[in-house]
Amino acid sequence: MNDIWSERQLTKLVQRKDDHRSPFQRDRARILHSAAFRRLQSKTQVMGSGQSDFYRTRLTHSLEAAQIGSGISAQLRNKYPELSAALFPNDDTLIESLCLAHDIGHPPFGHGGEVALNFMMRNHGGFEGNGQTFRIVSYLEPFSEHHGMNLARRTLLGLVKYPQTLDQLSNNKSPTIPDNFRQLKAADWHPAKGLFQDDINTLNWLLAPLSDADRQLFQQSQQQENAHSKTLYKSLDCSIMELADDIAYGIHDLEDAIVTGVVQQADFEQYVIAPLTELDDSWLQQLTQELSAQLFSQKTYQQKEAIGGLVNYLITAIVLVDLNKKLQLTFNEPLLRYNAKHPPNACKVLQIFKRFVFDFVIKRTEIQHHEYRGQQIVMELFEALASDPQRLLPKNALHAYKQAETNGLNSYRVIADYVAGMTDDFATHLYQSLFIPSNTLSRHDLHG
C-alpha cells in the first residue's frame, strides 16, 4: 500500500512497547473504544431503541455490517488475485473499521433527529449524519488534541460517502419556515448528503494526495430531480462498506420485522417473492420456492438458514468494476478507479428487499410517530441550549462553545455536536428534565 494512504494528520504517535499492529488494526481499536461507538447501543436503527431487547440497534447493525464487509473483502481478494496486492490490505480490518464506524454520526431518533438538526442548523451550515461521522472521527473524539481519532488517511477516505461540502450540494430553495416546530414537514428538510464547511481543512488534507484532475472528478455532483445535488463517486473501500450496510439493512433488519409480526407473509409474497421469480436466475428460482415458508416459519433455524442463504448470495455475487472502462472515466488513483458493485440481478434482488423494508417497516405509522416525536424533542432541545448555552450546556460542551466564539468559528456547530451525540434515552431524559414539571431532582439532573 502506498505509504501516503497510511499517514495520519498528527504524525507523532505514542509508541507502545511491542505494538506490532497495522495502521488499520489501530484504527479499529480506536473506533471500538470510542464513546461515539458505545452510544450506538441506544440509538434507533429501524425499530425504536428500547422498545424491545430483541430489536437491532445501530450498534448491532454496525456489528453485522462489519461481519458482512469482512466477507465481501475476503471474496474480492479471492476473485481478483492479480489486483489484490495493489488494492487490498492483507486482512479485513480496514473494512471492518469502516463498517463499525459508518453510523456513529447519526443523531438520536434516526432520520427524525437528522431532519430536526438540519432545520435548526439551516443558517449555520446544515446537518447530515455522514458529515457528522466524518467530524467525529477527525475532530471530536478525544484520542488526540485536535484531530479526533487521528485515523489513517485511507480509513478516513473510506468513511466519506459524499466527498463534497453541503454548501456545494444544497439547493438554494429554502422551504417555508413553519410557525412552530410541530408543523415542520420532514420531507421539506431532508439535508443534502455531504460534509460540513467547518471541516474543510480536514477534507483538503484527506484529498491532498490526489491529482487536481482526480480530485475534481471525485467531487463531481449531479442535480437530483427537484432536490439537492449528489456526488457521483466514492472510493473502493467505501463502496464495499456501503454494500455491507445495504445488505445488513435489507436482509437482517427484515428479520426483526418478520419475527415481531410487523410484516405479513401475504405482503412479503406479493412484493418480494413475486418480483424475485421474474428475475432470470436459476439459483433465485430455486431459493424463492421455499423462502417465504422458511422466513415465516415458527422454527428459528429455518429462518436463520434462509437469512444466511440470502446474505451469502448477495456477498458472493459482488464484483470489482473498473470505472475507467465501464464509465469512460480517467481516475489515476486505483482506490478511486475501482469499486465493488453488484451485477444487475443481485442489484435488483437487494433493491427489492430494501424497498420492502422501507415501504412496510420504515413507513409504518408507528415508526413514523416515533421519528416525529424524536424530531420534536431534538428541535426543542436545540432551541433551549442555543438560547442560553452559558447556563444549559454541560462543562465540556460549554468549553468548546466558548473556544468557537473566541476563535471566530461556528458556535452553533458545537450545539449540534452535543445534541447529535445524545442517545435516544439521554435526549428523552434531558427533555423531561427541562420541560416536564417535577418536584425532585433525578440522578440524571445531578450528574448530567
Side-chain angles (χ1 to χ4, degrees):
M1 182 183 68
N2 190 328
D3 286 342
I4 202 165
W5 291 110
S6 62
E7 288 179 353
R8 303 176 189 273
Q9 283 184 281
L10 179 63
T11 55
K12 185 179 179 181
L13 294 177
V14 175
Q15 297 299 319
R16 296 186 173 91
K17 183 181 178 182
D18 297 329
D19 188 351
H20 302 296
R21 293 175 298 171
S22 72
F24 305 129
Q25 288 172 327
R26 298 191 76 169
D27 286 351
R28 181 177 61 181
R30 293 177 184 194
I31 292 164
L32 281 169
H33 292 291
S34 68
F37 182 73
R38 290 195 299 276
R39 291 189 187 107
L40 294 176
Q41 66 188 304
S42 189
K43 288 193 177 185
T44 294
Q45 172 59 13
V46 174
M47 309 294 190
S49 172
Q51 290 181 7
S52 166
D53 60 3
F54 175 83
Y55 296 154
R56 286 167 167 85
T57 64
R58 285 201 183 270
L59 179 67
T60 57
H61 162 77
S62 298
L63 293 170
E64 287 175 333
Q67 179 62 29
I68 293 169
S70 176
I72 295 171
S73 181
Q75 281 286 329
L76 292 177
R77 282 203 308 272
N78 185 61
K79 280 185 179 180
Y80 302 95
E82 72 283 2
L83 293 172
S84 182
L87 295 179
F88 298 104
N90 293 328
D91 60 27
D92 306 319
T93 312
L94 169 62
I95 300 302
E96 289 177 1
S97 298
L98 301 181
C99 293
L100 291 171
H102 80 281
D103 265 354
I104 62 175
H106 281 259
F109 307 109
H111 291 294
E114 184 178 53
V115 164
L117 282 174
N118 186 50
F119 174 73
M120 300 306 291
M121 289 291 290
R122 63 192 180 278
N123 297 322
H124 309 287
F127 181 88
E128 197 268 334
N130 297 290
Q132 190 68 12
T133 293
F134 184 78
R135 183 167 172 81
I136 287 170
V137 299
S138 64
Y139 179 67
L140 293 176
E141 273 290 338
F143 283 81
S144 66
E145 187 174 3
H146 300 296
H147 302 296
M149 295 184 193
N150 195 34
L151 301 177
R153 184 184 257 119
R154 181 167 175 176
T155 307
L156 206 53
L157 181 70
L159 285 170
V160 176
K161 294 184 181 181
Y162 313 101
Q164 187 56 276
T165 54
L166 293 181
D167 58 299
Q168 298 295 315
L169 299 170
S170 300
N171 66 33
N172 295 319
K173 301 175 182 176
S174 180
T176 302
I177 306 299
D179 292 333
N180 61 68
F181 291 158
R182 293 186 180 182
Q183 296 175 354
L184 185 79
K185 292 184 179 179
D188 292 341
W189 292 96
H190 285 301
K193 294 181 179 296
L195 308 177
F196 306 140
Q197 182 64 30
D198 302 277
D199 302 313
I200 189 64
N201 291 337
T202 305
L203 178 61
N204 288 335
W205 173 85
L206 172 63
L207 302 183
L210 302 180
S211 66
D212 290 343
D214 268 10
R215 175 167 179 167
Q216 186 175 3
L217 181 58
F218 185 49
Q219 293 188 291
Q220 272 190 9
S221 60
Q222 187 174 67
Q223 177 75 37
Q224 306 293 295
E225 185 177 355
N226 298 320
H228 305 294
S229 294
K230 189 176 183 180
T231 55
L232 300 175
Y233 308 111
K234 53 184 62 68
S235 70
L236 166 65
D237 304 320
C238 185
S239 71
I240 296 173
M241 177 264 284
E242 281 210 299
L243 285 169
D245 182 25
D246 283 350
I247 292 170
Y249 164 76
I251 306 302
H252 283 301
D253 290 352
L254 173 64
E255 183 183 3
D256 278 0
I258 290 175
V259 173
T260 55
V262 169
V263 298
Q264 304 303 311
Q265 187 168 1
D267 292 326
F268 182 80
E269 290 177 354
Q270 180 178 353
Y271 294 100
V272 175
I273 297 298
L276 288 178
T277 57
E278 296 175 3
L279 299 178
D280 185 17
D281 186 311
S282 57
W283 187 89
L284 277 176
Q285 299 300 327
Q286 182 179 354
L287 173 73
T288 52
Q289 292 178 15
E290 301 293 333
L291 182 60
S292 179
Q294 287 181 312
L295 286 176
F296 287 86
S297 170
Q298 297 303 308
K299 299 177 179 178
T300 304
Y301 76 89
Q302 290 190 349
Q303 296 170 342
K304 293 297 183 185
E305 285 179 4
I307 293 292
L310 282 168
V311 171
N312 181 72
Y313 167 79
L314 290 168
I315 289 176
T316 56
I318 292 170
V319 296
L320 208 56
V321 173
D322 184 340
L323 299 182
N324 285 0
K325 293 180 179 179
K326 185 177 178 63
L327 302 176
Q328 287 77 54
L329 302 179
T330 56
F331 280 123
N332 290 314
E333 171 54 55
L335 292 180
L336 305 185
R337 175 176 176 175
Y338 293 94
N339 269 195
K341 291 185 179 294
H342 269 136
N345 267 358
C347 185
K348 291 175 184 175
V349 170
L350 186 53
Q351 288 303 315
I352 288 169
F353 278 96
K354 286 175 61 181
R355 190 181 307 117
F356 183 76
V357 171
F358 183 78
D359 290 341
F360 286 87
V361 183
I362 302 294
K363 285 300 182 183
R364 280 178 65 90
T365 304
E366 299 94 322
I367 302 296
Q368 290 303 307
H369 283 179
H370 180 77
E371 280 200 5
Y372 177 82
R373 170 178 167 271
Q375 182 178 303
Q376 304 306 309
I377 289 173
V378 167
M379 287 188 289
E380 293 205 38
L381 286 179
F382 190 103
E383 182 182 52
L385 295 168
S387 71
D388 197 348
Q390 299 273 357
R391 182 184 184 190
L392 297 178
L393 283 178
K395 186 182 298 183
N396 287 344
L398 180 58
H399 176 70
Y401 184 89
K402 289 179 177 179
Q403 275 195 321
E405 283 194 318
T406 300
N407 297 324
L409 301 176
N410 184 0
S411 56
Y412 284 90
R413 181 64 62 194
V414 176
I415 298 174
D417 291 338
Y418 177 55
V419 177
M422 295 178 183
T423 64
D424 295 17
D425 291 341
F426 184 92
T428 300
H429 291 152
L430 181 58
Y431 179 90
Q432 292 170 342
S433 173
L434 291 175
F435 301 118
I436 297 178
S438 173
N439 293 324
T440 59
L441 287 175
S442 68
R443 289 172 62 190
H444 168 80
D445 297 319
L446 293 173
H447 297 290

